[in-house]
Amino acid sequence: MSPHSRTRLPSSLKRPGKPDRMMSAYRLVTRGYTAIITRTAIPAPERVDRDTTLIVTETRLVAENVLSLRLEAADGATLPHWHPGAHLDIVLPSDTARQYSLCGDPADRSNYRIAVRRIPDGGGSVEIHDRLPVGTRVTARGPRNAFPFAYPHLARADISGVVFIAAGIGITAILPMVHAAAAAGVDWHLTYLGRGEHTMAFLDEIGRLDPGRVRIHTGPRLPIGDLLAHVGTRTSVYFCGPPALLHDVRTAVDQRDTAGFHFERFAPPPVVGGRAFELHLDRSAYTIRVAPNRSALAAIRDRKPDVAYSCQQGFCGTCRVRVLAGEVERRSRSAFLDEPDTMLLCTDRAESDHLTLEL
């Protein structure tokens, strides 16, 4: 092992606490349950048409360039419920919309917690870090869940354990799952990877978990075999991290007999098997060529950088536009598939050579 790498266990005792009633009563939708026993990636989320005005009530730096925010309903109302793996679409004062995983306690409906890593060229993250003080109002859409953790059904699905792998800011999606697994008495293990402990959020909170089930690793990446050391035939794997690591972990898991692999991406998936086509933007009077290896969203943003988008993975619906002419090749598993004559710019492509969009 390199002298610049280090693997350790938190030096604390088991986290005290009891299972909360909400977690124990949780019933996952059938779509999410199906995913727990199959090798699916991200099950299609339920459609949620709900806007909530939230106010920032606390900001806290929880790691280098990682800001945790506590958000409460502006009118003091109880917030909509959520389950581990859920995210919010946050519409900032600048009208920029971005998605952030909920990383607090689902049983506490008085507030939501998110954590945002500052990215120098990321407009949304810079705005949150620099221009979102306590008292600021934002609009939240959701919560939505495209990465559900179906812990009450683990025993019924003949799953003996869960392995969680989180890298960097991926801990935000994974952390509520870990708490849920611990509260439910599930056999679980967490590996949390980072460049250095100063960059890793919520280490204090993770340090209150069972140290025998947690591995904190910094420096050069662990071999895939080590990451999957606790994975057996009745183990389900949950992953959130960068695309390169996702590819390697998924490839290794696919070569094993496991109970399932579930993941959330940091970035949009690559375009596979695409072909070139043309887009005509009716209101803007632009004609845009979409290359075989690019999304329609990426091509449009070259000419219209203000086009609305958020998840870039085909499930939030932010980039949905009306199609005036042409046939759409639908590639997403979105809840918006039942919307006729529309297209999700981030994933969908053209069946015909040309599409005309109401943009």
Side-chain angles (χ1 to χ4, degrees), residues 37 60 75 81 99 111 113 119 123 155 180 185 206 267 295:
I37 54 174
R60 182 168 69 96
D75 60 1
H81 71 278
Q99 293 182 318
N111 67 84
R113 183 178 72 172
I119 302 171
I206 292 169
S295 69

Side-chain angles (χ1 to χ4, degrees), residues 38-210:
T38 61
R39 291 177 179 272
T40 60
I42 301 175
E46 290 184 280
R47 181 170 176 174
V48 181
D49 292 319
R50 174 172 53 209
D51 284 8
T52 305
T53 301
L54 303 178
I55 187 168
V56 179
T57 58
E58 179 187 84
T59 61
R60 182 168 69 96
L61 202 64
V62 291
E64 181 179 86
N65 290 324
V66 180
L67 188 70
S68 171
L69 295 90
R70 192 173 302 279
L71 306 166
E72 298 180 11
D75 60 1
T78 299
L79 293 169
H81 71 278
W82 61 280
H83 302 296
H87 67 268
L88 285 178
D89 298 331
I90 300 291
V91 183
L92 301 171
S94 66
D95 282 338
T96 298
R98 293 292 184 270
Q99 293 182 318
Y100 299 104
S101 296
L102 287 164
C103 57
D105 180 0
D108 185 356
R109 296 176 62 185
S110 67
N111 67 84
Y112 291 142
R113 183 178 72 172
I114 62 173
V116 181
R117 181 180 296 283
R118 183 189 180 101
I119 302 171
D121 59 350
S125 70
V126 170
E127 181 175 357
I128 286 174
H129 275 250
D130 294 351
R131 301 188 297 279
L132 214 68
V134 169
T136 305
R137 293 183 178 226
V138 297
T139 299
R141 293 171 182 158
R144 298 185 176 96
N145 202 330
F147 186 36
F149 176 49
Y151 52 91
H153 296 288
L154 293 176
R156 300 182 208 173
D158 195 32
I159 294 173
S160 63
V162 184
V163 166
F164 300 105
I165 302 171
I169 199 63
I171 193 63
T172 56
I174 295 294
L175 188 56
M177 299 183 186
V178 174
H179 282 307
V186 173
D187 183 22
W188 61 272
H189 291 86
L190 166 68
T191 296
Y192 182 17
L193 309 171
R195 291 185 291 108
E197 290 190 9
H198 64 289
T199 70
M200 302 171 76
F202 303 121
L203 284 180
D204 55 343
E205 187 172 328
I206 292 169
R208 295 192 291 272
L209 294 165
D210 182 346

Side-chain angles (χ1 to χ4, degrees), residues 28 32 70 100 129 166 217 310 315:
L28 191 69
R70 192 173 302 279
Y100 299 104
H129 275 250
H217 179 80
S310 185
F315 56 78

